[in-house]
Amino acid sequence: MTPPLRPELAGLTVYRRDEALYRWDLSDNTNLFGSAPSALAAVSSWAGRSPSRYPTAGTDHLRLALAEWLGVAADQIVAGCGSNDMLDAAMRAFGAPGSRMAYAAPTFVMASHFAAANSLDVVVVPTPAGGEPDIAALIATGARVIYLATPNNPSGRAASPGAVEELFDRAPGVVILDEAYTEYLGSSWAAVAAGRDNVVVTRTFSKAWGLAGLRIGYAVGAARLVDEMAKARGPYKVNAVAEQAAAAAVENDRAWLAAVCDQTRQARVALGASLKGLGFAVLPSDANFVSVLVPDARRIATALEARGIAVRAMVGVAGLGALLRITVGPEPAMAALVAAMAEVPR
Ligand code: PMP
């Protein structure tokens, strides 16, 4: 048998999205309420234009729009192909082959994937069930890179400000704070990160802005750090259409964003109450999804699929066990889900 090319990748799987069509796809935490309208207009305005030239190398239009919105300088921002790309670039920029990357488990699976793909040694720090991430244990790893998602995926919970500040102040290396869902929380550490020399905050247009298909994410931090990420990322990761669409959204659609987040929060509260009413154990969430602890997640997910509803089933989740992660969406989707959950054998 030929030896594997990269033994450290042996445990990783190729990410493939299940393209099966469901009546309601509540599996990927994208915005089921829609997309930023100015972004859609920008995409339409591209019709007929030639893409024969490269996009801008510096993504300056988007970075200027983001800088004004976030209250930071444009050179404290780097953009890329989704926040996945930003996480990958950050692991490469701040880690070195064989150095440690520590994260609070359970969390977004791609963090450890990108660490391993960049030959970092992954150190898992369990989060006490239902509690705060163990900041002291994360710091004690001595890791060159520490990853923390807030609000977290799959739990949905935001870390307390005290926990985040302690991590920022005492981390032995660089902190990557993943804020993919922070628009739903309504606050961000981006401006704080820009004023420090050891933190980058990653954010995305894939969730609340409703632009996952355009693949745009960004990171905010000290210019010295985001410059290193830009080198590790490589050029032209944000295509020209995506840049114009995202910049237009930031310039024109902030009221839309606030309204859609508000609508999502209300729907999340209603969904949580309905599922609790059926006797399910629903985790508290600050994001656009809720996780439900169930003994047999796969069986229930399959039963939901038979009813035309896709959710994300996870098993063996550290400290939580098996769960269903369900994206919050408009009323008809929520009604269909709750009706199906009332029927499925538990
Ligand atoms: N971080 C977290 C916590 C996520 O849940 C996701 C998407 N599932 C991402 C990052 C990546 O999102 P994107 O690459 O679309 O920005």
Side-chain angles (χ1 to χ4, degrees):
M1 228 175 57
T2 47
L5 290 174
R6 295 276 308 277
E8 64 271 40
L9 300 188
L12 305 182
T13 51
V14 178
Y15 183 77
R16 278 201 193 88
R17 193 170 140 63
D18 187 348
E19 294 295 345
L21 287 177
Y22 300 99
R23 175 84 179 87
W24 303 111
D25 184 349
L26 311 179
S27 71
D28 65 4
N29 303 341
T30 50
N31 188 346
L32 302 177
F33 294 96
S35 306
S38 301
L40 297 182
V43 171
S44 301
S45 78
W46 260 82
R49 278 174 71 177
S50 166
S52 66
R53 306 300 308 274
Y54 285 108
T56 59
T59 332
D60 287 347
H61 183 183
L62 175 58
R63 290 195 306 148
L64 285 167
L66 285 169
E68 194 266 317
W69 180 44
L70 300 172
V72 302
D75 68 359
Q76 293 169 325
I77 300 172
V78 57
C81 180
S83 53
N84 270 316
D85 189 29
M86 296 289 88
L87 297 178
D88 182 37
M91 298 292 173
R92 204 156 47 250
F94 308 130
S99 68
R100 288 184 183 165
M101 188 291 276
Y103 72 92
T107 196
F108 181 46
V109 288
M110 295 311 289
S112 55
H113 179 110
F114 288 130
N118 287 295
S119 302
L120 277 59
D121 280 348
V122 175
V123 184
V124 182
V125 175
T127 299
E132 284 276 345
D134 189 342
I135 301 298
L138 283 168
I139 292 162
T141 61
R144 192 158 157 167
V145 178
I146 295 179
Y147 168 89
L148 185 72
T150 180
N152 195 15
N153 173 9
S155 72
R157 270 323 268 286
S160 71
V164 175
E165 276 160 10
E166 187 188 353
L167 181 63
F168 286 4
D169 286 343
R170 295 184 45 218
V174 175
V175 176
I176 304 171
L177 195 75
D178 182 337
E179 290 193 335
Y181 300 98
T182 213
E183 288 82 3
Y184 298 107
L185 184 65
S187 66
S188 171
W189 292 93
V192 173
R196 302 187 59 104
D197 63 0
N198 67 334
V199 178
V200 291
V201 164
T202 59
R203 294 185 53 174
T204 186
F205 285 88
S206 297
K207 307 299 180 185
W209 289 105
L211 302 174
L214 293 180
R215 308 302 302 128
I216 328 153
Y218 58 98
V220 182
R224 185 179 71 86
L225 296 182
V226 300
D227 280 355
E228 293 306 303
M229 285 178 63
K231 289 185 213 166
R233 176 210 54 190
Y236 306 134
K237 290 291 188 75
V238 179
N239 72 69
V241 187
E243 180 181 5
Q244 294 315 315
V250 173
E251 285 163 352
N252 305 308
D253 294 344
R254 295 177 205 175
W256 175 90
L257 182 76
V260 94
C261 289
D262 206 40
Q263 193 179 11
T264 307
R265 284 188 290 263
Q266 286 175 28
R268 182 184 71 211
V269 171
L271 174 64
S274 300
L275 292 174
K276 280 183 194 157
L278 294 175
F280 285 102
V282 183
L283 299 181
S285 171
D286 298 300
N288 67 336
F289 58 87
V290 294
S291 286
V292 180
L293 302 181
V294 287
D296 192 344
R298 289 216 177 94
R299 195 172 45 75
I300 298 182
T302 305
L304 292 174
E305 277 172 25
R307 291 163 173 80
I309 301 168
V311 300
R312 182 66 58 86
M314 298 185 182
V315 295
V317 180
L320 296 175
L323 58 84
L324 301 174
R325 198 194 62 196
I326 304 167
T327 308
V328 171
E331 170 53 25
M334 299 296 92
L337 174 84
V338 171
M341 289 289 274
E343 278 173 28
V344 292
R346 305 201 191 158

